[in-house]
Amino acid sequence: MLEILFLGTGASIPSRDRAMPCIAIRQTTDIILFDCGEGSQRQLMISPFSFMKIAGIFITHMHGDHFLGLPGLLQTMGASGRKDPLIVCGPQGIKEGVETVLSVCPGDINYHIDIKELKDRDAVKFNGFEVSAFQNEHNLPSLGYVLKEDDIPGKFDKKKATELGIKVGPDFSRIQNGECVRGITPEMVMGSSRHGCSVVYSGDTIPCERLTEAAKGADVLIHESTFSEVHEKLAKEHWHSTSTQAASTAKECGCRALMLVHISNRYEDLDMIKDETVEIFENVFIPEDLEMFRITADNIRSI
Amino acid sequence: MLEILFLGTGASIPSRDRAMPCIAIRQTTDIILFDCGEGSQRQLMISPFSFMKIAGIFITHMHGDHFLGLPGLLQTMGASGRKDPLIVCGPQGIKEGVETVLSVCPGDINYHIDIKELKDRDAVKFNGFEVSAFQNEHNLPSLGYVLKEDDIPGKFDKKKATELGIKVGPDFSRIQNGECVRGITPEMVMGSSRHGCSVVYSGDTIPCERLTEAAKGADVLIHESTFSEVHEKLAKEHWHSTSTQAASTAKECGCRALMLVHISNRYEDLDMIKDETVEIFENVFIPEDLEMFRITADNIRSI
């Protein structure tokens, strides 16, 4: 099960209702962030998630609205006594960027920050899930991300194993670890494995092949939708997507749900954005700040 | 008349209720900011003040909680089409700091930012008021600020001037500009000038002589109060002040009101902080985020 918490759903400039881009995903206890715009640490204070449980932060690109909350959050973790190491990932330039801003604003950070510059298809493993990067197409080095929960192996059926003559002891372990024991195969005593869920985050991008490839079969596609379809030309000029382009990608990729973020402040009527999207892909959400979704193999719902 | 809008009253780490340090002061139409912690631009969006009317931003020191909202605000002004030049002031290091962070996060800024590194007693003139710096004592280069409204000259009494034989025309201008006209002195036809109000902001500091000197006779002293008097030793170790030290300065300086900010999150009971302060200086406020005060020669009140 994954929980997606939208900490900031705005675009470029914050508004009364929407903070700068930041999406938290929790799997069991570990939390990762996709982007960390200015004010994300305060949104975390207001939210039910603990900023001390963040294991990794994935920045899509170095525009201020996606990055400028990171230095403050790193310092707040330090001031709050964090000792656990933290993984910070981003495109080319993230390492120098983080180190430069932290050198401008001195603060006590007494934990290790492992800053990784990721390239297309690089992956980072966490306990229970993996995050991989794909190169998208924006007007500076920029990534999107895929979070894929580990598949959960099927449950061992002790009763059935005993009936088939497997003895309690080392043979139980062998068959659970995939070995064949006296003609009994693991498939005969293990339930079917459970589908791990996946969430794809487009980052800021025009529609592109690598995004489509990454989103194939994803449970949830979180896609930027800076513009409405009526401003498709403007979207292209600014290296952004429209709501209907996002919908087309979700449809083509067979995603279960599409969540639109990064909608320009120029659109006051979000029903209009939703309506044009639904015509192409039905299961669309436009999350509000601090809205949370629970994603299981059976269900995707706002909680 | 001055209006003080507390955009962020927190200390070091934001909380559910308090954003990072940022205080806006408006005189007629021009607005200046004292400090610009992370999230200040969003607080401005929520407030009644327009971020496009900001004429100057005065950073006290380069700790992240006082500075990290500045780059994003500068970029938001740019993205919103600002053309008017902006003055940004701070201690030694502010120029390199701002330029460095803006180079890390590219953005369109098509207006002139005049970045001034101020020293003790340096002053910057605005239309209707002046802001001067004083060096305070913190654990890095650090300033406090004094905003002094221009005195408003007394009103010209046309009727009285005519009765005393001054003729409508050039003589009217001459006497209003301070000249003596045919034995009639300006004092005889001008009302008394109105006291311009002053606000002093301590910045982060231990009690120090230059602060006391700057705050002499100020209408309002906005003073950091990171600690309660019960933690005076801790305050000194961290180069901060206690509430009662702030009260003693306000009393010694004959201020009309003391406003406490930057109170550590460790204190849940602010009544306790207020009670210990009031014992030394009576007219104490502990402003909330987005609380606004109107300051005139006759009155200081929350509106």
Side-chain angles (χ1 to χ4, degrees):
Chain A
M1 183 191 72
L2 298 174
E3 287 163 310
I4 307 178
L5 171 64
F6 288 86
L7 291 162
T9 59
S12 309
I13 296 178
S15 70
R16 183 177 271 272
D17 299 321
R18 294 183 186 268
M20 295 288 77
C22 185
I23 301 160
I25 304 184
R26 179 162 66 184
Q27 203 272 356
T28 318
T29 53
D30 275 0
I31 295 167
I32 62 110
L33 299 185
F34 285 151
D35 280 327
C36 193
E38 184 186 338
S40 297
Q41 59 168 323
R42 181 134 190 251
Q43 293 294 89
L44 277 159
M45 306 291 180
I46 295 168
S47 85
F49 280 16
S50 164
F51 65 89
M52 294 298 263
K53 299 278 186 193
I54 295 170
I57 301 175
F58 294 81
I59 303 295
T60 57
H61 62 294
M62 296 299 286
H63 279 151
D65 54 328
H66 294 252
F67 168 78
L68 278 172
L70 180 59
L73 177 58
L74 297 178
Q75 293 191 332
T76 287
M77 286 173 170
S80 304
R82 183 179 181 121
K83 295 285 173 246
D84 294 337
L86 176 73
I87 293 171
V88 172
C89 299
Q92 180 198 330
I94 182 93
K95 190 168 163 60
E96 193 186 336
V98 171
E99 289 171 354
T100 303
V101 180
L102 290 178
S103 73
V104 165
C105 299
D108 289 332
I109 295 183
N110 294 311
Y111 61 95
H112 177 64
I113 306 175
D114 180 9
I115 308 179
K116 297 175 192 289
E117 302 202 340
L118 302 185
K119 295 186 300 297
D120 192 52
R121 293 171 195 266
D122 280 351
V124 181
K125 187 80 195 81
F126 293 87
N127 191 21
F129 62 94
E130 184 184 84
V131 179
S132 57
F134 61 90
Q135 192 184 317
N136 62 19
E137 295 186 23
H138 199 40
N139 56 356
L140 76 180
S142 185
L143 301 170
Y145 293 106
V146 180
L147 183 149
K148 173 79 179 69
E149 195 181 19
D150 296 348
D151 286 339
I152 295 149
K155 218 175 164 186
F156 176 56
D157 189 337
K158 281 183 195 173
K159 194 170 161 229
K160 198 169 180 189
T162 311
E163 282 168 10
L164 291 169
I166 309 286
K167 291 208 168 67
V168 177
D171 284 350
F172 262 40
S173 302
R174 285 173 59 204
I175 204 158
Q176 285 184 74
N177 288 330
E179 282 183 50
C180 188
V181 177
R182 288 195 297 278
I184 311 296
T185 63
E187 290 71 28
M188 294 164 77
V189 293
M190 302 293 289
S192 52
S193 72
R194 219 169 70 213
H195 167 69
C197 291
S198 61
V199 176
V200 173
Y201 175 43
S202 68
D204 283 7
T205 186
I206 52 170
C208 64
E209 210 171 290
R210 277 186 294 253
L211 165 56
T212 309
E213 196 184 313
K216 276 259 147 60
D219 294 281
V220 176
L221 174 59
I222 303 170
H223 202 300
E224 75 120 306
S225 167
T226 312
F227 292 95
S228 151
E229 65 173 345
V230 301
H231 294 123
E232 190 173 329
K233 192 161 164 272
L234 216 52
K236 195 174 177 187
E237 278 168 23
H238 290 87
W239 296 81
H240 281 296
S241 296
T242 67
S243 53
T244 46
Q245 288 168 338
S248 298
T249 303
K251 186 180 180 186
E252 182 183 344
C253 295
C255 300
R256 291 167 60 206
L258 171 64
M259 299 183 182
L260 299 181
V261 293
H262 204 274
I263 298 173
S264 164
N265 288 334
R266 81 187 62 204
Y267 306 112
E268 284 179 15
D269 180 10
L270 295 189
D271 285 343
M272 179 269 287
I273 300 284
K274 189 162 181 176
D275 289 348
E276 65 187 25
T277 315
V278 162
E279 283 192 22
I280 298 171
F281 184 86
E282 201 175 337
N283 198 24
V284 178
F285 300 87
I286 300 182
E288 295 185 357
D289 273 22
L290 299 172
E291 189 170 356
M292 185 146 88
F293 291 82
R294 190 161 287 160
I295 318 298
T296 65
D298 307 317
N299 209 344
I300 294 174
R301 64 190 176 93
S302 176
I303 55 172
Chain B
M1 183 191 71
L2 299 174
E3 287 164 310
I4 308 178
L5 172 64
F6 288 87
L7 291 162
T9 60
S12 310
I13 297 178
S15 70
R16 182 177 272 273
D17 299 321
R18 292 181 188 271
M20 296 287 78
C22 186
I23 301 159
I25 305 184
R26 179 163 66 185
Q27 204 270 357
T28 318
T29 54
D30 274 2
I31 294 168
I32 62 110
L33 298 185
F34 285 151
D35 280 329
C36 193
E38 184 185 337
S40 297
Q41 59 168 322
R42 182 135 191 251
Q43 293 293 92
L44 277 159
M45 305 291 178
I46 295 168
S47 85
F49 280 16
S50 163
F51 66 89
M52 295 297 265
K53 299 279 187 192
I54 294 171
I57 301 176
F58 293 81
I59 303 295
T60 57
H61 62 294
M62 296 299 286
H63 279 151
D65 55 329
H66 295 253
F67 169 77
L68 278 172
L70 180 59
L73 177 57
L74 298 178
Q75 292 191 333
T76 287
M77 287 173 171
S80 305
R82 183 179 181 119
K83 295 284 173 248
D84 293 337
L86 176 73
I87 293 171
V88 171
C89 300
Q92 177 200 333
I94 183 93
K95 191 168 162 62
E96 194 186 335
V98 171
E99 289 171 354
T100 303
V101 180
L102 291 178
S103 74
V104 165
C105 299
D108 289 331
I109 294 183
N110 295 312
Y111 60 96
H112 177 64
I113 306 176
D114 180 10
I115 308 178
K116 298 175 192 287
E117 303 203 339
L118 301 185
K119 296 185 300 294
D120 192 52
R121 294 171 196 266
D122 280 350
V124 181
K125 188 79 195 81
F126 293 85
N127 190 20
F129 61 95
E130 182 185 84
V131 178
S132 58
F134 61 91
Q135 191 184 319
N136 61 19
E137 296 186 22
H138 199 41
N139 56 356
L140 75 180
S142 185
L143 301 170
Y145 293 106
V146 179
L147 183 150
K148 174 79 179 70
E149 195 182 17
D150 296 348
D151 287 339
I152 295 148
K155 219 174 163 185
F156 177 56
D157 188 336
K158 282 185 196 172
K159 194 171 160 228
K160 200 168 178 189
T162 311
E163 281 168 11
L164 289 168
I166 309 286
K167 291 209 169 66
V168 178
D171 284 350
F172 263 40
S173 302
R174 286 173 60 205
I175 204 157
Q176 285 184 73
N177 288 329
E179 281 184 50
C180 189
V181 177
R182 288 196 295 279
I184 311 297
T185 63
E187 291 70 28
M188 294 164 76
V189 293
M190 302 293 288
S192 52
S193 71
R194 218 169 71 213
H195 167 69
C197 292
S198 62
V199 176
V200 173
Y201 176 44
S202 68
D204 282 8
T205 186
I206 52 171
C208 64
E209 209 170 292
R210 276 186 294 255
L211 166 56
T212 309
E213 197 185 311
K216 276 257 148 62
D219 294 282
V220 176
L221 173 59
I222 302 171
H223 201 299
E224 74 121 307
S225 166
T226 312
F227 293 95
S228 151
E229 65 173 348
V230 301
H231 294 122
E232 191 173 329
K233 193 162 162 274
L234 215 53
K236 195 174 177 186
E237 278 169 23
H238 290 86
W239 296 81
H240 281 297
S241 296
T242 67
S243 53
T244 46
Q245 287 168 340
S248 298
T249 303
K251 187 180 179 186
E252 183 183 343
C253 295
C255 301
R256 290 168 61 207
L258 171 64
M259 299 183 183
L260 298 181
V261 293
H262 204 274
I263 298 174
S264 164
N265 287 336
R266 82 187 63 203
Y267 306 112
E268 285 179 15
D269 179 11
L270 295 189
D271 285 343
M272 179 269 286
I273 300 283
K274 188 161 184 178
D275 289 347
E276 65 187 25
T277 315
V278 162
E279 282 193 22
I280 298 170
F281 184 86
E282 203 175 339
N283 198 24
V284 179
F285 300 87
I286 300 183
E288 296 186 356
D289 274 21
L290 299 172
E291 190 170 355
M292 185 146 86
F293 292 81
R294 190 160 287 160
I295 318 298
T296 65
D298 307 318
N299 209 343
I300 294 174
R301 64 190 176 93
S302 176
I303 54 171

